[in-house]
């Protein structure tokens, strides 16, 4: 036993300046254990039991094997302890280490002291379904000089899993929320109960201050202390996550309010029923210095709470009261669970521990009592041991045949306090009616009705109860009989056991598949995960192999291509030619009408070079202008494009055809490139840059010893070439022979002539070679890339026959653009 170290007032004063034992160890301390844990609030979510609040006394264990003085600095950090049901333990193990391992801080941000936002409460309720819990009520251990109390409508919830509509941004954690306007948090010492299958929870009766306002444990007057019984039933509807609804219902006069009763949900009727057991009025915790304000009244009124059982039909919102006999007497601050028989012929409520609520110095109860429904028969199943007894604890059923008790405290006969025997967590087997030496998640079975219960209600361990009505009184009302005659839909109940055995286990992941959760308890992977994962991994493997094979083949093909890259093929020459061309909005247009007179200038422009092959008389293009003057079309194009770094037609011919000059030639030679020095002349005619313009490209390289390049402004060649073309009017060739047309050997310097701005003198048709003006069945076609096997001709422009020259063009040139002077008509 250890000496009680502080009064309630001292605890309140120290609340803001001290921290829990697991962060404030003594010298030579090697571990800590929970000595007593008075009135925590707790709930089970799937495979995890969460325990919050309460008044904790810590017992330090020192290095030399002894224990230090018990300390009571509470849980002012606001930590929520928990027990993972996948973790086993044996009696004598330090279960406190399990409870502290994965604790959760209510402090905003997850760290620090939570007194300002979520302080530690004594008592209160934790209302829950399978996915979330909400903290409600409680007696505040407060010192207002250190921090402000929460608002009257404040409540805090923990959302562990999402349910309902998908919430992509959902994250587990604490959530603040306000209560409804008719619900206040100023309530404590009531009874919390949850029905996860209905997504509802309740807080029954309890105590409040006479002012219905805030109260604290160390109040100096009744107006700030919870002393008045509340006649309310607070309901929390969690059907829609994030839109929970709180309601306040007033108890009927037939249902007497009380402190620290125990309420269980029983699967009977359409939505189940609430069964209220025990409780006390004028309890010692509502008085001063651990004494009841009216002990005689409590001893007179409190025993009936175990003999006249209050029942609430949830679906019909109606209360009933059913009398019983031979009950345990007054019980408060005990705990209870419900174990249905396999055939649901009986529902056995196990009630453990507690005391009468007024005699804090007397022995507490270690008895286990059973109230069997629907016969409403009381059976004492286990007498227990007063040394093992406790009060102010919580009970849960990890498996159908087991009851886990968490927390509690011992009697207080003097200034010394006795720690809980066997630690803060103990186990009881519901089927055998015996205490267990620990918990092992791998060891469990279905619930079997104990033989002592069978002797009272009939049947066997699997059920088959023959006592189906209350004995000897019968049903209090026929309406209550009808409620019990209505079966509850058991498919709505979701279970999560069996739990995987592990010393350390993570929380189960949420699942929307009820069947999978029933099979595996959500601690193991669902059965469909393995085959689906296998198929996905198989597909990934096949795709990876296919991609690698394709990459290997592609690399091999390119490697083979590179080995024969020493010879130039047709495809590469065509691609090179294409890269040297400008983009045009329209194909080349040639006017082939016979009615259009020829122009000497246009005839001369058609002579762009001579082939090294034997001389063959090739007719020139049909003239497009009905005049005998040499005229140049007006320049209506945009300015020439600068910095053209593509291949010019002459470069294409020089590099990719057999017409190229094999002699070395300086870079500045205008016959070699369309640009020289720092001036880049466009290889496209200025007029060809305009929309719907005609582009005429040279077709072969011009050798210096054979020909001089001649072109009009339509050719788009360099300025040097254009200058030579301007002087063609002064060097008219003789019609006698092709060799006299333009002799490259003459190497003459032509006189200047600017026919871009002046109209040249008329030229006699007799001076023009007939071969250049006589129409022929064929004419040069559009510019085309060089081919591997060129046809015989002057160049590749004339090598391939074109379409019928007699076909008239669908386009008509503007006379002004053709340079025709209307005054010359």
């Amino acid at each position: 036993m250890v000496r009680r170290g502080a009064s309630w007032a001292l605890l309140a004063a120290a609340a803001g300046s001290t921290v829990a034992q697991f962060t404030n160890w003594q010298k030579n301390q090697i571990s800590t254990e929970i000595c007593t844990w008075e009135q925590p609030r707790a709930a089970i979510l799937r495979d995890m039991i969460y325990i919050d609040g309460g008044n904790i006394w810590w017992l330090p264990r020192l290095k030399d094997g002894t224990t230090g003085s018990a300390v009571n600095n509470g849980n002012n950090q606001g930590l929520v302890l928990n027990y993972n049901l996948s973790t086993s333990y044996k009696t004598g193990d330090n279960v406190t280490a399990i409870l502290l391992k994965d604790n959760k801080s209510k402090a905003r941000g997850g760290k620090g002291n939570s007194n300002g936002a979520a302080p530690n409460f004594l008592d209160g309720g934790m209302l829950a379904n399978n996915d979330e819990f909400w903290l409600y009520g409680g007696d505040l251990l407060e010192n207002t000089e250190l921090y402000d109390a929460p608002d009257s409508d404040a409540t805090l919830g923990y959302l562990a899993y999402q349910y309902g509509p998908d919430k992509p941004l959902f994250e587990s954690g604490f959530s603040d929320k306000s209560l409804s306007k008719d619900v206040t948090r100023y309530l404590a010492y009531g009874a919390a109960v949850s029905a996860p299958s209905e997504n509802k929870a309740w807080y029954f009766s309890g105590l409040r201050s006479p002012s219905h306002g805030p109260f604290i444990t160390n109040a100096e007057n009744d107006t700030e202390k919870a002393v008045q019984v509340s006649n309310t039933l607070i309901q929390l509807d969690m059907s829609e996550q994030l839109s929970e609804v709180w309601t306040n219902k007033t108890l009927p006069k037939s249902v007497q309010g009380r402190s620290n009763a125990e309420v269980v949900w029983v699967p009977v009727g359409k939505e189940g029923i609430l069964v209220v057991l025990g409780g006390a009025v004028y309890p010692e915790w509502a008085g001063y210095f651990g004494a009841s304000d009216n002990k005689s009244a409590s001893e007179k009124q409190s025993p009936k709470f175990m003999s006249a059982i209050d029942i609430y039909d949830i679906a019909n919102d109606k209360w009933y009261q059913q009398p019983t006999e031979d009950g345990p007497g007054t019980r408060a601050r005990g705990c209870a669970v419900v174990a249905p028989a396999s055939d649901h012929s009986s529902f056995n409520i196990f009630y453990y521990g507690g005391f009468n609520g007024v005699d804090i110095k007397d022995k507490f109860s270690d008895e286990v009592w059973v109230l069997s429904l629907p016969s409403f028969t009381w059976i004492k199943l286990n007498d227990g041991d007063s040394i093992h007894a406790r009060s102010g604890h919580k009970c849960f059923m990890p498996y159908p045949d087991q009851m886990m008790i968490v927390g509690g405290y011992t009697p207080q006969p003097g200034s010394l306090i006795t720690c809980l025997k066997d630690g803060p967590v103990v186990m009881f087997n519901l089927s055998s009616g015996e205490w267990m030496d620990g918990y092992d998640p791998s060891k469990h079975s279905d619930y079997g009705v104990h033989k002592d219960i069978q002797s009272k209600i009939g049947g066997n361990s699997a059920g088959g109860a023959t006592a189906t009505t209350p004995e000897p009184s019968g049903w209090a009302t026929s309406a209550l009989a009808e409620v019990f005659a209505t079966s509850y839909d058991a498919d709505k109940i979701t279970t999560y056991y069996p739990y995987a055995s592990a010393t350390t286990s993570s929380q189960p992941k949420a699942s929307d598949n009820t069947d999978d959760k029933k099979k595996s308890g959500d601690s193991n992977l669902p059965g469909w995960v393995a085959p689906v994962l296998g198929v996905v991994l198989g597909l990934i493997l096949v795709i990876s192999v296919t991609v690698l094979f394709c990459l290997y083949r592609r690399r091999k093909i390119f490697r083979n291509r590179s080995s024969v890259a020493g010879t130039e093929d047709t495809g590469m020459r065509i691609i090179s030619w294409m890269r040297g061309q400008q983009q045009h909005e329209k194909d080349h247009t040639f006017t082939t009408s016979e009615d259009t007179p020829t122009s000497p200038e246009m005839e001369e422009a058609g002579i762009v070079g001579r082939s090294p092959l034997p001389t063959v008389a090739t007719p020139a293009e049909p003239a497009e202008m009905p005049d005998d003057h040499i005229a140049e079309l007006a320049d209506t194009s945009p300015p020439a494009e600068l910095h053209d770094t593509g291949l010019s037609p002459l470069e294409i011919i020089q590099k990719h055809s057999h017409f190229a000059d094999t002699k070395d030639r300086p870079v500045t030679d205008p016959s070699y490139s369309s640009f020289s020095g720092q001036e880049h002349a466009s290889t496209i005619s200025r007029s060809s840059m305009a929309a719907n313009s005609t582009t005429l490209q040279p077709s072969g390289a011009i050798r210096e010893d054979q020909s001089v390049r001649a072109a009009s402004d339509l050719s788009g060649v360099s300025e040097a070439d254009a200058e030579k073309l301007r002087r063609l009017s002064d060097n008219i060739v003789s019609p006698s022979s092709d060799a006299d047309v333009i002799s490259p050997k003459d190497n003459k310097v032509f006189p200047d002539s600017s026919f871009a701005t002046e109209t040249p003198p008329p030229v006699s048709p007799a001076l023009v070679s007939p071969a250049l003006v006589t129409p022929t069945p064929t004419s040069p076609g559009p510019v085309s890339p060089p081919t591997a096997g060129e046809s015989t001709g002057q160049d590749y422009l004339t090598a391939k026959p074109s379409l019928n020259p007699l076909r008239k063009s669908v386009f008509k040139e503007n006379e002004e653009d053709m340079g025709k002077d209307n005054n010359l008509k």
Side-chain angles (χ1 to χ4, degrees):
M1 300 180 67
V2 295
R3 183 173 299 277
R4 187 175 302 278
S7 66
W8 285 114
L10 180 59
L11 290 174
S17 59
T18 59
V19 292
Q21 166 63 20
F22 43 83
T23 59
N24 189 23
W25 287 16
Q26 300 179 9
K27 185 178 180 180
N28 297 324
Q29 182 177 346
I30 60 174
S31 67
T32 186
E33 296 180 10
I34 293 177
C35 177
T36 61
W37 196 349
E38 179 184 359
Q39 290 300 112
R41 45 188 175 184
I44 181 172
L45 271 64
R46 303 192 180 192
D47 70 341
M48 189 75 70
I49 298 175
Y50 295 89
I51 314 104
D52 174 66
N55 182 31
I56 302 177
W57 282 76
W58 303 91
L59 181 64
R61 288 197 174 274
L62 306 181
K63 188 175 182 180
D64 58 5
T66 61
T67 59
S69 300
V71 294
N72 185 335
N73 46 25
N75 181 15
N76 301 305
Q77 284 186 314
L79 298 178
V80 178
L81 280 60
N82 55 63
Y83 189 98
N84 192 315
L85 294 174
S86 295
T87 307
S88 61
Y89 84 92
K90 289 286 187 180
T91 300
D93 292 347
N94 188 358
V95 183
T96 302
I98 301 175
L99 296 171
L100 298 176
K101 182 175 179 57
D102 297 319
N103 62 78
K104 299 183 180 300
S105 174
K106 294 178 291 183
R108 301 307 179 264
K111 295 180 179 180
N113 193 304
S114 70
N115 278 330
N120 194 53
F121 286 91
L122 181 70
D123 200 84
M126 185 180 288
L127 311 181
N129 56 16
N130 291 322
D131 304 294
E132 64 183 26
F133 68 75
W134 292 88
L135 303 177
Y136 176 75
D139 198 352
L140 185 62
L141 184 63
E142 178 183 354
N143 186 331
T144 55
E145 294 181 359
L146 297 176
Y147 55 86
D148 295 330
D151 295 335
S152 61
D153 61 348
T155 185
L156 181 67
Y158 179 73
L159 282 60
Y161 311 96
Q162 67 165 304
Y163 60 94
D166 184 47
K167 305 171 184 64
L169 301 180
F170 177 86
E171 291 185 3
S172 299
F174 287 95
S175 174
D176 292 288
K177 192 172 183 180
S178 297
L179 301 170
S180 302
K181 61 181 181 179
D182 59 342
V183 180
T184 174
R185 73 166 181 85
Y186 300 135
L187 191 61
Y189 306 113
V193 58
S194 301
S197 60
E198 295 296 324
N199 280 315
K200 292 181 180 179
W202 299 265
Y203 195 76
F204 172 80
S205 192
L207 301 177
R208 61 173 26 136
S209 69
S211 64
H212 291 197
F215 51 84
I216 56 177
T217 57
N218 61 327
E220 297 179 356
N221 54 71
D222 288 347
T223 59
E224 296 180 352
K225 189 174 181 67
V227 296
Q228 189 178 80
V229 176
S230 172
N231 61 345
T232 58
L233 178 68
I234 305 299
Q235 176 179 286
L236 172 61
D237 189 341
M238 297 171 283
S239 300
E240 185 175 351
Q241 193 175 39
L242 303 180
S243 297
E244 294 80 5
V245 179
W246 295 81
T247 56
N248 186 346
K249 299 182 179 182
T250 302
L251 297 174
K253 293 182 179 180
S254 61
V255 179
Q256 184 177 356
R258 67 204 78 167
S259 177
N260 287 129
E262 191 68 9
V263 181
V264 294
W265 178 83
V266 181
V268 170
K270 187 177 180 180
E271 298 182 10
I273 60 175
L274 301 183
V275 178
V276 184
L277 302 175
V281 294
Y282 302 106
E284 56 86 15
W285 51 85
Y288 291 94
F289 306 108
S292 172
D293 289 343
N294 194 338
K295 182 178 179 180
S296 60
S298 178
E299 291 176 343
K300 181 178 180 180
Q301 299 178 31
S302 297
K304 69 176 181 180
F305 298 141
M306 279 294 200
S307 59
I309 309 301
D310 292 306
I311 301 166
Y312 176 63
D313 179 13
I314 299 171
N316 298 312
D317 189 22
K318 190 174 182 179
W319 284 92
Y320 300 94
Q321 190 175 87
Q322 179 65 43
T324 64
E325 295 181 354
D326 303 324
T330 302
R331 287 289 188 275
R333 293 194 169 182
C335 70
V337 296
V338 180
S342 298
D343 62 355
H344 285 194
S345 61
S346 65
F347 301 90
N348 301 309
I349 304 174
F350 288 75
Y351 188 98
Y352 167 69
F355 74 113
N356 62 9
V358 293
D359 294 320
I360 187 66
K361 297 180 180 181
D362 292 350
K363 294 180 180 179
F364 288 173
S365 173
D366 194 44
E367 299 172 345
V368 177
W369 285 80
V370 175
L371 176 63
S372 182
L373 306 179
S375 64
F376 285 86
T377 302
W378 281 105
I379 304 102
K380 181 192 287 188
L381 197 61
N382 191 296
D383 291 331
D385 187 346
S386 59
I387 299 177
H388 188 264
R390 66 187 68 196
S391 181
H393 49 275
K394 301 299 176 184
C395 296
F396 304 95
M397 288 179 63
Y399 285 106
D401 65 330
Q402 300 173 24
M403 177 172 64
M404 177 180 283
I405 297 97
V406 180
Y409 64 102
T410 57
Q412 302 169 7
S415 60
L416 298 179
I417 186 172
T418 303
C419 292
L420 295 168
K421 187 176 184 300
D422 297 333
V425 179
V426 292
M427 298 293 299
F428 184 81
N429 190 289
L430 302 176
S431 298
S432 66
E434 300 293 336
W435 291 99
M436 304 169 62
D437 60 354
Y439 169 75
D440 187 342
S442 65
K443 297 179 181 180
H444 60 89
S445 63
D446 293 335
Y447 168 67
V449 180
H450 193 273
K451 60 181 181 178
D452 291 348
I453 301 174
Q454 296 176 31
S455 65
K456 294 286 186 175
I457 64 173
N460 51 43
S461 61
T466 57
T468 57
T469 59
E471 296 290 344
S473 62
W475 291 108
T477 65
S478 59
L480 181 58
E482 291 178 0
V483 172
F484 274 87
T486 303
S487 298
Y488 183 78
D489 183 6
D491 291 338
K492 296 195 295 183
I493 300 176
T494 301
T495 58
Y496 295 88
Y497 53 79
Y499 310 105
S501 298
T503 54
T504 303
S505 176
S506 60
Q507 298 185 30
K509 295 183 178 179
S511 172
D512 293 331
N513 191 314
T514 302
D515 293 334
D516 288 342
K517 289 188 288 187
K518 288 183 178 180
K519 293 178 182 178
S520 65
D522 219 21
S523 294
N524 299 322
L525 290 174
W528 55 265
V529 171
V532 171
L533 186 60
V535 172
V536 172
L537 293 177
L539 289 175
I540 294 175
L541 178 61
V542 171
I543 293 173
S544 300
V545 171
T546 304
V547 170
L548 291 175
F549 177 77
C550 292
L551 292 175
Y552 170 78
R553 291 284 299 167
R554 182 174 181 271
R555 184 175 182 181
K556 186 176 180 181
I557 291 171
F558 277 102
R559 185 180 298 171
N560 293 338
R561 287 182 178 179
S562 62
S563 64
V564 296
T567 60
E568 182 179 47
D569 60 349
T570 304
M572 293 300 295
R573 289 191 288 118
I574 294 175
I575 292 174
S576 179
W577 176 85
M578 291 173 64
R579 289 176 177 173
Q581 302 302 307
Q582 294 290 335
Q583 298 295 327
H584 303 287
E585 298 180 1
K586 179 183 174 183
D587 293 339
H588 305 291
T589 302
F590 296 93
T591 303
T592 58
S593 172
E594 291 180 342
D595 299 334
T596 305
T598 61
S599 170
E601 179 186 345
M602 297 303 294
E603 295 166 4
E604 294 176 4
I607 305 173
V608 295
R610 292 300 299 264
S611 170
L613 298 176
T615 303
V616 179
T618 304
E621 299 177 13
E624 294 185 356
M625 300 183 61
D627 199 354
D628 54 1
H629 294 86
I630 297 176
E632 182 179 3
L633 297 177
D635 185 3
T636 61
S637 65
E641 179 182 356
L642 299 179
H643 306 292
D644 180 10
T645 59
L647 296 176
S648 69
L650 294 180
E651 291 171 327
I652 294 169
I653 296 170
Q654 187 70 18
K655 294 181 179 181
H656 300 296
S657 88
H658 63 271
F659 300 110
D661 189 357
T662 59
K663 296 181 179 181
D664 295 332
R665 176 183 292 106
V667 178
T668 58
D669 190 345
S671 66
Y672 175 78
S673 176
S674 61
F675 61 92
S676 62
Q678 300 299 322
E679 178 182 358
H680 291 215
S682 175
T683 61
I684 305 301
S685 169
R686 287 173 293 175
S687 61
S688 68
M689 296 299 292
N692 300 328
S693 63
T694 303
T695 302
L696 184 61
Q697 298 285 5
S699 61
I702 303 175
R703 299 192 180 187
E704 292 181 346
D705 58 347
Q706 293 181 356
S707 62
V708 177
R709 186 171 58 176
S712 71
D713 192 44
L714 295 173
S715 64
V717 297
S718 65
E719 291 297 332
D721 295 335
E723 182 66 22
K724 293 179 182 181
L725 293 177
R726 293 189 184 99
R727 296 178 175 83
L728 287 177
S729 60
D730 295 334
N731 296 275
I732 306 301
V733 298
S734 173
S736 58
S737 66
D738 292 339
D740 296 330
V741 176
I742 298 176
S743 176
K745 296 181 179 180
D746 294 340
N747 198 19
K748 297 179 180 180
V749 178
F750 298 97
D752 293 338
S753 176
S754 177
F755 55 85
T757 57
E758 298 181 3
T759 303
V763 179
S764 174
L767 298 177
V768 182
S769 174
L772 300 176
V773 299
T774 304
T776 61
T778 62
S779 62
V783 177
S784 61
T787 59
E790 290 85 348
S791 302
T792 303
Q794 289 181 328
D795 50 35
Y796 71 86
L797 289 173
T798 60
K800 182 178 179 180
S802 65
L803 300 176
N804 190 348
L806 300 180
R807 180 179 63 83
K808 294 185 177 182
S809 172
V810 296
F811 300 93
K812 183 177 181 180
E813 302 289 347
N814 188 284
E815 292 183 351
E816 293 181 0
D817 294 338
M818 297 297 292
K820 182 175 180 180
D821 189 353
N822 294 333
N823 297 326
L824 297 177
K825 291 185 179 178

